Amino acid sequence: MSAEVPTPPAAKPRSRSRVVKSNRRQMLLFAALTVILTVATVWGSRIWLNSETLTFAAGDANGPEARFAAKLAAMLKSTNSRLHLKIVHNPDNAKALAQFDRKQADLAVLRTDARVPPRARAIAILEHDVLLLFSPGNKKIKSLAELKKKKIAVVADADSGTAFIRRLLEVSDDPDAASRLQLAPPNSSYDKLLAPGGYGAVITIAPASRMMRDKSFAQYAKRGGFTLNAISDTKALVRRNSGLTEETLAAGILSSSPAVPEQDLETVGLQWLLVAQSRLSTATTGNLARAIYENKAELASENGFASRIEPANTDKDAFVVAHQGAADYINDDTKSFIDRYSDLAYLGAGVLSVIGSLFIALYTKVTRIAPEKASELATAILDIGERMEHATSMEALDALQDELEAILRGVVIGLRDGTISSDGLETFKLGYQFVRDELGMRRESLRRHAGHDDNVVIVKTAQSA
């Protein structure tokens, strides 16, 4: 006698609420992991993108360019800039420029009478040095030719000032001519230098901001000890001497009472430039230029140096050509974030795409309850189509119509919460449209057979491809 084999129990249909809850938990888990990984990626990219250290070659720590470098470093730090400065001091500014020329520094400050390294590009004009020509009493000097015949004292911070005046006046190497041009002793006052039996002229080349703050000019003017002279043929001098600029001293700029000069006076001068290596990126120099121009008040030294920072000359024939990044900012032609980082954006999009694909693959592999395919619901729709052929009343058709709409709502909700996949969605759409149109035609057929032809409005439905 053979034993009966028990019939296995029928599989219970899956509960939609259970599927939704399980899928939601897993989706939340993977979403949280994706967010964590994305934040880590963005944080790492921010550190990589937003940190750059520039080396600033400066002269003596007490020199104007070194003090400016220290002010600039402090300002960049206080404004949380992505740029940082490493300041390297040298015995003097000439050696700092030599270090810059050897590509051992990214930034430096030069005065335009110095030899300009070929890779130097201007970021900003920090200061103007102007030339002032004094003569004793009321004796005016009418020309440079007349000036060359006089014994001249040069008031300057270094021997480079004397060398500059010697080149400017084209003083020969003849001992007699050379002896007439001397560097004034330190801390010499103008009234002593121009006293009877002293020098026939005094030339000073110094920052305009410092001379504007010097109250001694007003005292000298009250005693009537000197005359401030205009420089003749400034245009010719500028043409002959590279780096020289035409300057205008406004009336009363050195002393308001009595006014020195009495009216606007033409002279010549030099510029102090902040320069960068040409190899620096436009983004870096643009950010540096923005920081400098938008925080100028924080960069002025106590003695007035860099108190009136100006944009660099962006003309192509400028003595020192402006760096493209600074020129873009000055000319308001800076690139947008997308333009600047478009290549990086493409790379980032590719990375995020790979990360997203990995998580999607991992999600579909790990998920135990697979979402139902949309194409599988087409069978239920076709079943409605078969039952429709046996419907003999409007009430029966309305019930079938309600079933059809319920299936459609279920698919829309399932696609939203992940319980139904889009696999076979086109098949589902074709089946839905077919049965919906058949229901419409069946409804019209019943109306005609019921004798309501006069009230029938036939609507042609466009079939989707």
Side-chain angles (χ1 to χ4, degrees):
M1 184 174 178
S2 61
E4 278 189 24
V5 178
T7 304
K12 293 181 180 181
R14 292 182 298 179
S15 168
R16 172 162 297 212
S17 62
R18 214 168 53 240
V19 172
V20 170
K21 289 180 181 179
S22 177
N23 283 347
R24 281 180 178 172
R25 281 196 301 270
Q26 295 186 49
M27 289 178 70
L28 287 173
L29 174 62
F30 283 106
L33 292 174
T34 304
V35 169
I36 292 172
L37 183 58
T38 303
V39 169
T41 303
V42 171
W43 180 75
S45 300
R46 178 178 175 81
I47 292 178
W48 177 57
L49 285 174
N50 285 5
S51 180
E52 185 173 1
T53 300
L54 303 177
T55 301
F56 197 125
D60 182 80
N62 295 319
E65 70 279 357
R67 289 195 295 267
F68 171 78
K71 290 270 188 179
L72 180 58
M75 182 272 289
L76 293 175
K77 184 177 181 180
S78 66
T79 55
N80 297 318
S81 172
R82 58 178 288 265
L83 301 176
H84 306 279
L85 288 191
K86 175 186 176 183
I87 303 174
V88 179
H89 293 286
N90 292 270
D92 53 48
N93 199 44
K95 289 183 172 57
L97 286 175
Q99 182 186 24
F100 179 91
D101 195 20
R102 295 192 300 269
K103 302 182 184 180
Q104 295 174 347
D106 303 299
L107 302 171
V109 173
L110 65 82
R111 198 172 74 168
T112 49
D113 61 331
R115 190 188 75 82
V116 179
R119 288 171 294 277
R121 299 293 181 267
I123 301 294
I125 301 172
L126 303 182
E127 185 62 85
H128 290 260
D129 275 8
V130 294
L131 187 148
L132 302 182
L133 172 60
F134 297 99
S135 56
N138 295 321
K139 300 177 181 178
K140 288 189 176 182
I141 299 175
K142 299 179 180 179
S143 66
L144 294 181
E146 179 184 344
L147 175 63
K148 292 180 184 179
K149 298 176 182 179
K150 296 181 179 294
K151 186 179 179 182
I152 304 169
V154 178
V155 178
D157 294 332
D159 291 338
S160 59
T162 306
F164 166 70
I165 300 300
R166 192 182 302 279
R167 292 196 304 271
L168 183 67
L169 299 180
E170 298 179 334
V171 175
S172 67
D173 295 332
D174 177 77
D176 181 57
S179 65
R180 290 199 296 268
L181 185 66
Q182 300 174 6
L183 182 65
N187 302 318
S188 298
S189 61
Y190 289 94
D191 52 354
K192 289 184 178 180
L193 293 173
L194 296 171
Y199 293 94
V202 173
I203 297 177
T204 182
I205 178 77
S209 57
R210 186 201 305 172
M211 288 190 286
M212 288 170 57
R213 296 165 183 257
D214 191 345
K215 303 300 183 182
S216 62
F217 288 111
Q219 299 172 6
Y220 299 149
K222 289 177 181 178
R223 294 197 293 265
F226 64 81
T227 296
L228 180 59
N229 300 271
I231 301 296
S232 61
D233 299 327
T234 56
K235 294 186 183 297
L237 287 174
V238 169
R239 283 195 300 269
R240 290 200 304 266
N241 297 270
S242 299
L244 201 64
T245 57
E246 295 183 71
E247 303 286 346
T248 299
L249 295 177
I253 194 171
L254 299 183
S255 171
S256 57
S257 179
V260 179
E262 295 180 354
Q263 58 187 2
D264 290 356
L265 182 144
E266 299 300 319
T267 185
V268 292
L270 299 165
Q271 293 178 343
W272 290 83
L273 302 178
L274 173 65
V275 294
Q277 294 283 359
S278 58
R279 59 180 168 78
L280 282 183
S281 69
T282 56
T284 296
T285 51
N287 287 334
L288 181 61
R290 180 191 300 275
I292 290 172
Y293 297 137
E294 293 181 359
N295 299 276
K296 292 190 289 187
E298 300 181 33
L299 300 176
S301 298
E302 292 75 10
N303 63 356
F305 185 84
S307 59
R308 297 191 177 185
I309 296 175
E310 301 173 20
N313 186 350
T314 58
D315 293 340
K316 295 186 182 298
D317 59 349
F319 179 63
V320 179
V321 178
H323 196 289
Q324 188 60 50
D328 288 345
Y329 178 79
I330 294 167
N331 297 330
D332 196 21
D333 192 27
T334 51
K335 293 183 178 180
S336 66
F337 179 86
I338 296 299
D339 293 334
R340 188 180 301 161
Y341 296 111
S342 57
D343 294 340
L344 187 62
Y346 285 126
L347 176 61
V351 172
L352 292 178
S353 175
V354 171
I355 293 174
S357 299
L358 289 174
F359 271 90
I360 290 172
L362 185 61
Y363 173 76
T364 54
K365 282 288 185 183
V366 173
T367 302
R368 295 179 180 177
I369 305 174
E372 191 172 6
K373 295 181 180 179
S375 60
E376 294 175 357
L377 297 174
T379 303
I381 291 178
L382 294 178
D383 178 64
I384 293 174
E386 292 177 0
R387 286 186 284 144
M388 175 186 59
E389 296 177 0
H390 305 290
T392 58
S393 66
M394 288 295 181
E395 290 78 8
L397 289 178
D398 289 341
L400 293 174
Q401 182 75 39
D402 291 342
E403 283 188 48
L404 182 65
E405 297 304 324
I407 294 174
L408 178 62
R409 284 196 299 273
V411 169
V412 173
I413 294 172
L415 289 171
R416 183 190 64 188
D417 60 27
T419 57
I420 294 177
S421 73
S422 60
D423 190 10
L425 187 58
E426 289 297 322
T427 302
F428 172 82
K429 287 168 59 178
L430 289 173
Y432 170 79
Q433 291 168 356
F434 173 75
V435 173
R436 181 193 61 187
D437 294 343
E438 287 294 324
L439 276 170
M441 289 188 289
R442 181 64 176 168
R443 195 183 300 276
E444 296 301 331
S445 176
L446 289 178
R447 285 177 179 172
R448 284 196 298 270
H449 283 86
H452 298 292
D453 292 343
D454 293 339
N455 297 325
V456 174
V457 179
I458 299 176
V459 179
K460 295 184 178 180
T461 303
Q463 298 291 332
S464 298

